[in-house]
Amino acid sequence: MSPTATRPQARPSAGAHPGGGAHPGAGRVLWLSSTAFTLMFAAWLMFGILGVPIQKELGLTDPQLAWISAVAVLNGSLWRLPAGMLTDRIGGRKVMTLLLLATAVPAWFVAHAQSYGAVLALAFLVGFAGNSFSSGIAWNAAWQPREHQGFALGVFGAGNVGASVTKFIGPALIAGTAGATYLGGAVAGGWRLVRVISARLSPVRAGVLWFGTPRHDHTTGAKATLRSQLAPLRQLRVWRFSVYYVAFFGAYVALAAWLPKYYVDNYDVSLTEAGLLTALYIFPASLLRPVGGWFSDRFGARRVMYWTLAVMLAATGVLMMPDGHLVIAHADGSESSHLAYSLGVVPFTVLLVVLGSAMGVGKAAVYKHIPEYFPENVGSVGGLVGMLGGLGGFFLPPLFAYTKAWSGFPTSTFFVLFLLVALCAVWMHSTVVRMLHAESPELAHRLESVTVTAAGR
Protein backbone atom coordinates (compact mmCIF):
# COMPACT_ATOMS: atom_id res chain seq x y z
CA MET A 1 0.00 0.00 0.00
CA SER A 2 2.86 2.42 0.63
CA PRO A 3 4.68 4.06 -2.22
CA THR A 4 8.22 3.09 -3.05
CA ALA A 5 9.65 6.32 -1.70
CA THR A 6 8.27 5.67 1.76
CA ARG A 7 8.98 1.98 2.11
CA PRO A 8 11.36 0.97 4.90
CA GLN A 9 14.75 -0.30 3.95
CA ALA A 10 14.93 -4.07 3.68
CA ARG A 11 17.49 -4.58 6.41
CA PRO A 12 17.71 -7.89 8.20
CA SER A 13 16.22 -8.04 11.65
CA ALA A 14 18.61 -8.23 14.56
CA GLY A 15 17.12 -11.54 15.60
CA ALA A 16 17.63 -13.34 12.34
CA HIS A 17 20.29 -15.71 11.11
CA PRO A 18 21.95 -14.88 7.84
CA GLY A 19 19.79 -17.56 6.31
CA GLY A 20 16.66 -15.85 7.55
CA GLY A 21 15.64 -18.19 10.38
CA ALA A 22 15.09 -17.36 14.02
CA HIS A 23 17.77 -17.89 16.66
CA PRO A 24 17.63 -21.22 18.53
CA GLY A 25 15.63 -20.53 21.69
CA ALA A 26 13.34 -17.97 20.03
CA GLY A 27 10.35 -20.20 20.67
CA ARG A 28 11.07 -20.38 24.40
CA VAL A 29 11.50 -16.61 24.55
CA LEU A 30 8.18 -16.09 22.76
CA TRP A 31 6.08 -18.46 24.83
CA LEU A 32 7.60 -17.78 28.25
CA SER A 33 7.54 -14.01 27.75
CA SER A 34 3.93 -14.23 26.50
CA THR A 35 2.74 -16.15 29.54
CA ALA A 36 4.60 -13.78 31.88
CA PHE A 37 3.01 -10.83 30.10
CA THR A 38 -0.42 -12.45 30.50
CA LEU A 39 0.05 -12.53 34.28
CA MET A 40 1.33 -8.95 34.44
CA PHE A 41 -1.44 -7.67 32.18
CA ALA A 42 -3.98 -9.33 34.48
CA ALA A 43 -2.39 -7.64 37.49
CA TRP A 44 -2.33 -4.31 35.65
CA LEU A 45 -6.05 -4.24 34.78
CA MET A 46 -7.38 -6.14 37.78
CA PHE A 47 -8.95 -3.05 39.29
CA GLY A 48 -11.56 -3.14 36.53
CA ILE A 49 -13.20 -6.12 38.24
CA LEU A 50 -12.14 -5.31 41.81
CA GLY A 51 -13.47 -1.77 41.49
CA VAL A 52 -17.13 -2.60 42.16
CA PRO A 53 -16.57 -4.26 45.59
CA ILE A 54 -13.94 -1.63 46.46
CA GLN A 55 -16.45 1.12 45.65
CA LYS A 56 -19.08 -0.48 47.89
CA GLU A 57 -16.68 -1.05 50.79
CA LEU A 58 -15.11 2.42 50.75
CA GLY A 59 -18.17 4.38 49.60
CA LEU A 60 -16.53 5.89 46.50
CA THR A 61 -18.11 8.03 43.79
CA ASP A 62 -17.95 6.99 40.12
CA PRO A 63 -15.13 9.46 39.28
CA GLN A 64 -13.13 8.25 42.32
CA LEU A 65 -13.51 4.67 41.15
CA ALA A 66 -12.49 5.65 37.62
CA TRP A 67 -9.29 7.22 38.96
CA ILE A 68 -8.24 3.98 40.69
CA SER A 69 -8.14 2.15 37.36
CA ALA A 70 -6.74 5.21 35.62
CA VAL A 71 -3.67 5.62 37.85
CA ALA A 72 -2.81 1.94 37.42
CA VAL A 73 -2.97 2.41 33.66
CA LEU A 74 -0.91 5.61 33.98
CA ASN A 75 2.03 3.94 35.72
CA GLY A 76 1.81 1.00 33.33
CA SER A 77 2.33 3.42 30.46
CA LEU A 78 4.75 6.09 31.68
CA TRP A 79 7.81 3.83 31.68
CA ARG A 80 7.24 1.98 28.43
CA LEU A 81 9.74 4.09 26.53
CA PRO A 82 12.62 3.59 29.00
CA ALA A 83 11.65 -0.08 29.46
CA GLY A 84 11.87 -0.67 25.71
CA MET A 85 15.17 1.20 25.42
CA LEU A 86 16.62 -0.69 28.38
CA THR A 87 15.58 -3.98 26.77
CA ASP A 88 17.42 -3.03 23.58
CA ARG A 89 20.52 -2.46 25.71
CA ILE A 90 20.58 -5.28 28.28
CA GLY A 91 18.00 -7.78 26.99
CA GLY A 92 14.43 -8.66 27.83
CA ARG A 93 15.31 -11.54 30.15
CA LYS A 94 16.63 -9.16 32.81
CA VAL A 95 14.00 -6.46 32.34
CA MET A 96 10.97 -8.77 32.34
CA THR A 97 12.21 -10.63 35.43
CA LEU A 98 12.72 -7.33 37.25
CA LEU A 99 9.21 -6.16 36.35
CA LEU A 100 7.65 -9.36 37.69
CA LEU A 101 9.45 -9.01 41.02
CA ALA A 102 8.83 -5.26 41.33
CA THR A 103 5.05 -5.54 41.04
CA ALA A 104 4.64 -8.35 43.58
CA VAL A 105 5.28 -6.10 46.61
CA PRO A 106 2.58 -3.43 46.09
CA ALA A 107 0.12 -6.17 45.04
CA TRP A 108 0.58 -7.69 48.50
CA PHE A 109 0.10 -4.39 50.33
CA VAL A 110 -3.02 -3.35 48.40
CA ALA A 111 -4.77 -6.32 50.01
CA HIS A 112 -4.37 -4.55 53.35
CA ALA A 113 -5.34 -1.01 52.28
CA GLN A 114 -8.15 0.56 54.32
CA SER A 115 -8.65 3.97 52.68
CA TYR A 116 -9.21 5.48 49.27
CA GLY A 117 -5.85 7.25 49.37
CA ALA A 118 -3.99 4.02 50.15
CA VAL A 119 -5.78 2.09 47.41
CA LEU A 120 -5.10 4.88 44.93
CA ALA A 121 -1.36 5.00 45.74
CA LEU A 122 -0.93 1.23 45.67
CA ALA A 123 -2.95 0.91 42.46
CA PHE A 124 -0.45 3.30 40.89
CA LEU A 125 2.47 1.11 42.00
CA VAL A 126 0.81 -2.15 40.91
CA GLY A 127 0.29 -0.57 37.50
CA PHE A 128 4.04 -0.73 36.89
CA ALA A 129 3.39 -4.22 35.52
CA GLY A 130 1.95 -2.71 32.35
CA ASN A 131 5.40 -1.61 31.19
CA SER A 132 6.20 -5.25 30.45
CA PHE A 133 4.58 -4.80 27.05
CA SER A 134 7.28 -2.64 25.45
CA SER A 135 9.99 -4.79 26.98
CA GLY A 136 8.48 -7.98 25.58
CA ILE A 137 7.94 -6.45 22.14
CA ALA A 138 11.59 -5.36 21.89
CA TRP A 139 12.78 -8.70 23.28
CA ASN A 140 10.85 -10.82 20.79
CA ALA A 141 11.67 -8.54 17.85
CA ALA A 142 15.36 -9.18 18.58
CA TRP A 143 14.84 -12.94 18.38
CA GLN A 144 12.47 -13.31 15.42
CA PRO A 145 13.15 -13.07 11.65
CA ARG A 146 11.56 -10.16 9.87
CA GLU A 147 9.09 -12.20 7.84
CA HIS A 148 7.57 -13.68 11.01
CA GLN A 149 7.68 -10.62 13.26
CA GLY A 150 4.04 -9.65 12.70
CA PHE A 151 2.78 -13.04 13.85
CA ALA A 152 5.29 -13.37 16.72
CA LEU A 153 4.55 -9.92 18.12
CA GLY A 154 0.86 -10.71 17.76
CA VAL A 155 1.30 -13.88 19.82
CA PHE A 156 3.10 -11.93 22.52
CA GLY A 157 0.48 -9.19 22.46
CA ALA A 158 -2.24 -11.81 22.91
CA GLY A 159 -1.16 -11.74 26.55
CA ASN A 160 -3.81 -9.02 26.76
CA VAL A 161 -6.12 -11.97 27.40
CA GLY A 162 -4.88 -11.76 31.00
CA ALA A 163 -7.53 -9.08 31.52
CA SER A 164 -10.24 -11.64 30.80
CA VAL A 165 -8.76 -14.10 33.30
CA THR A 166 -9.62 -11.64 36.06
CA LYS A 167 -13.15 -11.24 34.66
CA PHE A 168 -13.72 -15.01 34.73
CA ILE A 169 -12.03 -15.90 38.01
CA GLY A 170 -12.28 -12.67 39.99
CA PRO A 171 -16.04 -12.42 40.62
CA ALA A 172 -16.39 -16.08 41.65
CA LEU A 173 -13.35 -15.83 43.93
CA ILE A 174 -14.62 -12.61 45.48
CA ALA A 175 -18.10 -14.03 46.12
CA GLY A 176 -16.84 -17.40 47.35
CA THR A 177 -14.33 -16.03 49.88
CA ALA A 178 -16.08 -12.88 51.12
CA GLY A 179 -16.15 -12.72 54.91
CA ALA A 180 -13.48 -15.39 55.41
CA THR A 181 -9.85 -14.92 56.46
CA TYR A 182 -6.70 -16.73 55.34
CA LEU A 183 -3.05 -17.18 56.33
CA GLY A 184 -3.89 -17.24 60.02
CA GLY A 185 -6.19 -14.25 59.78
CA ALA A 186 -3.56 -12.08 58.06
CA VAL A 187 -5.53 -11.78 54.82
CA ALA A 188 -9.23 -11.13 54.39
CA GLY A 189 -11.22 -12.89 51.71
CA GLY A 190 -13.11 -11.23 48.87
CA TRP A 191 -11.34 -8.74 46.61
CA ARG A 192 -8.32 -8.58 48.94
CA LEU A 193 -7.53 -12.27 48.51
CA VAL A 194 -7.37 -11.82 44.71
CA ARG A 195 -4.48 -9.40 45.14
CA VAL A 196 -2.62 -11.76 47.49
CA ILE A 197 -2.81 -14.57 44.93
CA SER A 198 -1.45 -12.21 42.26
CA ALA A 199 1.41 -11.18 44.55
CA ARG A 200 2.41 -14.79 45.18
CA LEU A 201 2.30 -15.85 41.53
CA SER A 202 4.63 -13.09 40.28
CA PRO A 203 7.88 -14.31 41.95
CA VAL A 204 7.16 -17.89 40.82
CA ARG A 205 6.67 -16.68 37.25
CA ALA A 206 9.86 -14.63 37.47
CA GLY A 207 11.85 -17.78 38.34
CA VAL A 208 10.32 -19.73 35.45
CA LEU A 209 11.20 -16.93 33.02
CA TRP A 210 14.75 -16.50 34.28
CA PHE A 211 15.71 -20.17 34.23
CA GLY A 212 13.61 -21.15 31.22
CA THR A 213 14.92 -18.67 28.65
CA PRO A 214 18.40 -18.72 27.06
CA ARG A 215 21.08 -17.29 29.30
CA HIS A 216 22.75 -15.53 26.38
CA ASP A 217 20.26 -12.87 25.34
CA HIS A 218 20.05 -10.98 22.04
CA THR A 219 19.91 -7.21 21.93
CA THR A 220 19.61 -4.69 19.09
CA GLY A 221 21.05 -1.65 20.86
CA ALA A 222 23.74 -2.87 23.24
CA LYS A 223 26.23 -0.37 21.80
CA ALA A 224 23.79 2.32 20.73
CA THR A 225 24.00 5.78 22.23
CA LEU A 226 21.04 7.38 23.94
CA ARG A 227 20.91 9.97 21.17
CA SER A 228 20.71 7.34 18.43
CA GLN A 229 17.98 5.47 20.29
CA LEU A 230 15.88 8.61 20.59
CA ALA A 231 16.58 9.92 17.07
CA PRO A 232 13.59 8.18 15.39
CA LEU A 233 11.21 9.87 17.82
CA ARG A 234 11.64 13.11 15.88
CA GLN A 235 9.70 11.61 12.97
CA LEU A 236 6.01 12.46 12.69
CA ARG A 237 5.34 8.88 11.58
CA VAL A 238 6.15 7.60 15.08
CA TRP A 239 3.64 9.95 16.68
CA ARG A 240 1.00 9.01 14.11
CA PHE A 241 1.48 5.34 14.98
CA SER A 242 1.02 6.35 18.62
CA VAL A 243 -2.35 7.97 17.95
CA TYR A 244 -3.48 4.86 16.08
CA TYR A 245 -2.47 2.78 19.07
CA VAL A 246 -4.55 4.96 21.38
CA ALA A 247 -7.61 3.95 19.33
CA PHE A 248 -6.71 0.25 19.18
CA PHE A 249 -5.07 -0.35 22.57
CA GLY A 250 -5.86 2.65 24.79
CA ALA A 251 -9.56 2.30 24.04
CA TYR A 252 -9.32 -1.47 24.61
CA VAL A 253 -7.75 -0.97 28.04
CA ALA A 254 -10.24 1.74 28.99
CA LEU A 255 -13.25 -0.40 28.04
CA ALA A 256 -11.84 -3.48 29.77
CA ALA A 257 -11.76 -1.48 33.00
CA TRP A 258 -15.04 0.39 32.41
CA LEU A 259 -17.39 -2.30 31.08
CA PRO A 260 -18.07 -4.27 34.31
CA LYS A 261 -19.54 -1.15 35.90
CA TYR A 262 -21.31 -0.23 32.64
CA TYR A 263 -23.07 -3.60 32.59
CA VAL A 264 -23.99 -3.44 36.29
CA ASP A 265 -25.38 0.11 36.03
CA ASN A 266 -27.18 -0.11 32.69
CA TYR A 267 -28.30 -3.73 32.39
CA ASP A 268 -28.89 -4.57 36.06
CA VAL A 269 -26.74 -7.71 36.03
CA SER A 270 -24.59 -9.10 38.84
CA LEU A 271 -20.87 -8.47 39.03
CA THR A 272 -20.24 -12.10 38.06
CA GLU A 273 -22.40 -11.75 34.95
CA ALA A 274 -20.82 -8.40 34.14
CA GLY A 275 -17.35 -9.96 34.37
CA LEU A 276 -18.30 -12.80 32.05
CA LEU A 277 -19.87 -10.44 29.51
CA THR A 278 -16.80 -8.21 29.61
CA ALA A 279 -14.60 -11.25 29.03
CA LEU A 280 -16.50 -11.89 25.80
CA TYR A 281 -15.18 -8.54 24.60
CA ILE A 282 -11.66 -9.08 25.92
CA PHE A 283 -11.09 -12.55 24.47
CA PRO A 284 -11.31 -11.66 20.76
CA ALA A 285 -9.57 -8.34 21.38
CA SER A 286 -6.62 -10.36 22.69
CA LEU A 287 -6.66 -13.70 20.91
CA LEU A 288 -7.12 -12.20 17.44
CA ARG A 289 -3.90 -10.25 17.79
CA PRO A 290 -1.80 -13.09 16.28
CA VAL A 291 -4.34 -13.25 13.44
CA GLY A 292 -3.89 -9.52 12.94
CA GLY A 293 -0.14 -10.05 12.81
CA TRP A 294 -0.54 -12.80 10.20
CA PHE A 295 -2.90 -10.61 8.15
CA SER A 296 -0.35 -7.80 8.31
CA ASP A 297 2.46 -10.12 7.19
CA ARG A 298 0.25 -11.40 4.36
CA PHE A 299 -1.69 -8.35 3.12
CA GLY A 300 0.19 -5.37 4.52
CA ALA A 301 -0.37 -3.51 7.78
CA ARG A 302 -1.92 -0.40 6.26
CA ARG A 303 -4.59 -2.33 4.37
CA VAL A 304 -5.48 -4.19 7.57
CA MET A 305 -5.78 -0.89 9.42
CA TYR A 306 -8.24 0.41 6.83
CA TRP A 307 -10.43 -2.65 7.43
CA THR A 308 -10.31 -2.42 11.21
CA LEU A 309 -10.95 1.32 11.42
CA ALA A 310 -14.01 0.92 9.17
CA VAL A 311 -15.41 -1.84 11.41
CA MET A 312 -14.75 0.22 14.55
CA LEU A 313 -16.51 3.26 13.10
CA ALA A 314 -19.57 1.17 12.29
CA ALA A 315 -19.67 -0.53 15.72
CA THR A 316 -19.15 2.62 17.81
CA GLY A 317 -21.59 4.49 15.57
CA VAL A 318 -24.37 2.13 16.69
CA LEU A 319 -23.22 1.80 20.31
CA MET A 320 -23.20 5.57 20.85
CA MET A 321 -26.93 5.90 20.05
CA PRO A 322 -28.85 6.63 23.29
CA ASP A 323 -31.99 4.73 24.21
CA GLY A 324 -35.13 6.81 23.73
CA HIS A 325 -37.91 7.88 21.39
CA LEU A 326 -39.25 10.93 19.61
CA VAL A 327 -42.20 12.74 21.18
CA ILE A 328 -44.44 14.60 18.73
CA ALA A 329 -46.63 17.40 20.11
CA HIS A 330 -49.78 17.72 18.00
CA ALA A 331 -51.86 20.83 17.34
CA ASP A 332 -54.71 19.58 19.55
CA GLY A 333 -52.35 19.37 22.53
CA SER A 334 -51.91 15.63 22.47
CA GLU A 335 -48.53 13.87 22.24
CA SER A 336 -47.40 10.65 20.58
CA SER A 337 -44.19 8.63 20.71
CA HIS A 338 -42.37 7.35 17.63
CA LEU A 339 -39.15 5.57 16.63
CA ALA A 340 -38.53 4.02 20.03
CA TYR A 341 -34.98 2.68 20.23
CA SER A 342 -33.11 0.64 22.82
CA LEU A 343 -30.16 -1.70 22.61
CA GLY A 344 -30.60 -4.85 24.66
CA VAL A 345 -27.80 -6.66 26.44
CA VAL A 346 -27.43 -9.30 23.71
CA PRO A 347 -27.01 -6.97 20.69
CA PHE A 348 -24.87 -4.67 22.84
CA THR A 349 -22.52 -7.56 23.67
CA VAL A 350 -22.42 -8.76 20.06
CA LEU A 351 -21.38 -5.28 18.91
CA LEU A 352 -18.73 -5.21 21.64
CA VAL A 353 -17.33 -8.53 20.39
CA VAL A 354 -17.13 -7.06 16.88
CA LEU A 355 -15.45 -3.94 18.24
CA GLY A 356 -12.99 -5.97 20.30
CA SER A 357 -12.14 -8.20 17.34
CA ALA A 358 -11.29 -5.15 15.23
CA MET A 359 -9.16 -3.74 18.05
CA GLY A 360 -7.23 -7.00 18.38
CA VAL A 361 -6.40 -7.10 14.68
CA GLY A 362 -5.59 -3.37 14.60
CA LYS A 363 -3.16 -3.55 17.53
CA ALA A 364 -1.05 -6.09 15.67
CA ALA A 365 -1.15 -4.02 12.48
CA VAL A 366 0.27 -0.96 14.24
CA TYR A 367 3.17 -2.93 15.70
CA LYS A 368 3.91 -4.62 12.40
CA HIS A 369 4.97 -1.18 11.13
CA ILE A 370 7.60 -0.64 13.82
CA PRO A 371 10.25 -3.32 13.04
CA GLU A 372 9.62 -2.63 9.34
CA TYR A 373 10.46 1.06 9.56
CA PHE A 374 12.75 1.05 12.61
CA PRO A 375 14.48 -2.36 12.85
CA GLU A 376 17.30 -1.03 15.03
CA ASN A 377 15.06 0.98 17.36
CA VAL A 378 12.14 -1.30 18.17
CA GLY A 379 12.59 -0.67 21.89
CA SER A 380 12.44 3.13 21.77
CA VAL A 381 9.83 3.45 19.02
CA GLY A 382 7.71 0.59 20.34
CA GLY A 383 8.11 2.00 23.83
CA LEU A 384 6.86 5.44 22.82
CA VAL A 385 3.93 4.01 20.84
CA GLY A 386 3.03 1.72 23.73
CA MET A 387 3.43 4.53 26.25
CA LEU A 388 1.10 6.91 24.45
CA GLY A 389 -1.35 4.11 23.69
CA GLY A 390 -1.40 3.20 27.37
CA LEU A 391 -1.84 6.85 28.35
CA GLY A 392 -4.96 6.80 26.21
CA GLY A 393 -6.20 4.07 28.52
CA PHE A 394 -5.41 6.41 31.43
CA PHE A 395 -7.29 9.45 30.11
CA LEU A 396 -10.33 7.67 28.66
CA PRO A 397 -12.00 6.17 31.81
CA PRO A 398 -12.22 9.55 33.61
CA LEU A 399 -13.37 11.07 30.32
CA PHE A 400 -16.09 8.41 30.13
CA ALA A 401 -17.21 9.28 33.67
CA TYR A 402 -17.22 13.04 33.12
CA THR A 403 -18.98 12.92 29.74
CA LYS A 404 -21.65 10.70 31.26
CA ALA A 405 -22.11 13.15 34.14
CA TRP A 406 -22.26 16.09 31.71
CA SER A 407 -24.57 14.55 29.11
CA GLY A 408 -26.61 12.16 31.22
CA PHE A 409 -26.16 9.45 28.55
CA PRO A 410 -24.19 6.30 29.42
CA THR A 411 -23.67 5.77 25.68
CA SER A 412 -21.53 8.93 25.56
CA THR A 413 -18.67 6.47 26.27
CA PHE A 414 -18.93 5.23 22.70
CA PHE A 415 -19.39 8.70 21.24
CA VAL A 416 -15.93 9.53 22.63
CA LEU A 417 -14.53 6.40 20.97
CA PHE A 418 -16.29 7.18 17.68
CA LEU A 419 -14.61 10.59 17.52
CA LEU A 420 -11.21 9.05 18.32
CA VAL A 421 -11.52 6.39 15.62
CA ALA A 422 -12.75 8.95 13.09
CA LEU A 423 -9.69 11.12 13.80
CA CYS A 424 -7.36 8.17 13.17
CA ALA A 425 -9.14 7.17 9.96
CA VAL A 426 -9.02 10.71 8.54
CA TRP A 427 -5.36 11.21 9.48
CA MET A 428 -4.27 7.86 8.04
CA HIS A 429 -6.17 8.31 4.79
CA SER A 430 -4.96 11.88 4.25
CA THR A 431 -1.38 10.67 4.86
CA VAL A 432 -1.77 7.84 2.35
CA VAL A 433 -3.23 10.18 -0.28
CA ARG A 434 -0.41 12.69 0.26
CA MET A 435 2.19 9.91 -0.07
CA LEU A 436 0.62 8.64 -3.28
CA HIS A 437 0.54 12.15 -4.74
CA ALA A 438 4.20 12.65 -3.84
CA GLU A 439 5.08 9.37 -5.55
CA SER A 440 3.07 10.05 -8.74
CA PRO A 441 2.50 13.81 -9.05
CA GLU A 442 1.50 13.46 -12.70
CA LEU A 443 -1.58 11.50 -11.55
CA ALA A 444 -2.52 13.77 -8.65
CA HIS A 445 -5.27 15.65 -10.49
CA ARG A 446 -6.65 12.87 -12.66
CA LEU A 447 -10.02 11.50 -11.67
CA GLU A 448 -10.13 8.85 -14.36
CA SER A 449 -7.69 6.01 -15.00
CA VAL A 450 -4.89 6.87 -17.42
CA THR A 451 -5.00 3.35 -18.82
CA VAL A 452 -6.49 3.40 -22.32
CA THR A 453 -8.31 0.22 -23.27
CA ALA A 454 -8.56 -1.13 -26.77
CA ALA A 455 -12.25 -0.30 -26.88
CA GLY A 456 -11.58 3.29 -25.92
CA ARG A 457 -8.96 4.04 -28.56
Side-chain angles (χ1 to χ4, degrees), residues 66-83:
W67 279 109
I68 289 178
S69 293
V71 296
V73 173
L74 174 64
N75 199 31
S77 307
L78 284 176
W79 310 105
R80 288 188 170 196
L81 175 58

Side-chain angles (χ1 to χ4, degrees), residues 120-159:
L120 193 67
L122 289 166
F124 177 80
L125 296 177
V126 169
F128 191 64
N131 297 290
S132 58
F133 175 75
S134 58
S135 175
I137 286 289
W139 191 17
N140 281 285
W143 280 83
Q144 296 292 335
R146 178 178 177 180
E147 63 271 17
H148 296 150
Q149 283 176 335
F151 176 74
L153 298 186
V155 169
F156 173 79

Side-chain angles (χ1 to χ4, degrees), residues 58 114-122:
L58 301 181
Q114 300 296 330
S115 67
Y116 172 63
V119 172
L120 193 67
L122 289 166

Side-chain angles (χ1 to χ4, degrees), residues 269-353:
V269 300
S270 68
L271 179 59
T272 299
E273 292 173 309
L276 294 175
L277 291 170
T278 302
L280 293 177
Y281 153 78
I282 292 173
F283 260 117
S286 305
L287 297 181
L288 284 180
R289 193 160 181 161
V291 177
W294 182 85
F295 280 158
S296 299
D297 287 338
R298 177 69 176 82
F299 302 108
R302 189 171 290 114
R303 180 175 287 129
V304 172
M305 288 179 62
Y306 267 116
W307 298 341
T308 54
L309 288 172
V311 171
M312 290 175 67
L313 280 172
T316 54
V318 176
L319 289 167
M320 73 179 183
M321 297 296 293
D323 293 351
H325 58 269
L326 293 177
V327 177
I328 305 297
H330 299 281
D332 61 0
S334 63
E335 294 182 346
S336 60
S337 299
H338 304 272
L339 301 177
Y341 172 82
S342 65
L343 194 64
V345 65
V346 173
F348 176 80
T349 303
V350 170
L351 283 170
L352 276 179
V353 171

Side-chain angles (χ1 to χ4, degrees), residues 44 67 69-81 124 131 239 242 245-247 249-251 253-254 383-399 420:
W44 185 39
W67 279 109
S69 293
V71 296
V73 173
L74 174 64
N75 199 31
S77 307
L78 284 176
W79 310 105
R80 288 188 170 196
L81 175 58
F124 177 80
N131 297 290
W239 298 89
S242 301
Y245 204 60
V246 171
F249 178 73
V253 169
L384 179 69
V385 171
M387 180 183 76
L388 295 181
L391 288 176
F394 162 70
F395 285 110
L396 286 172
L399 187 58
L420 173 61

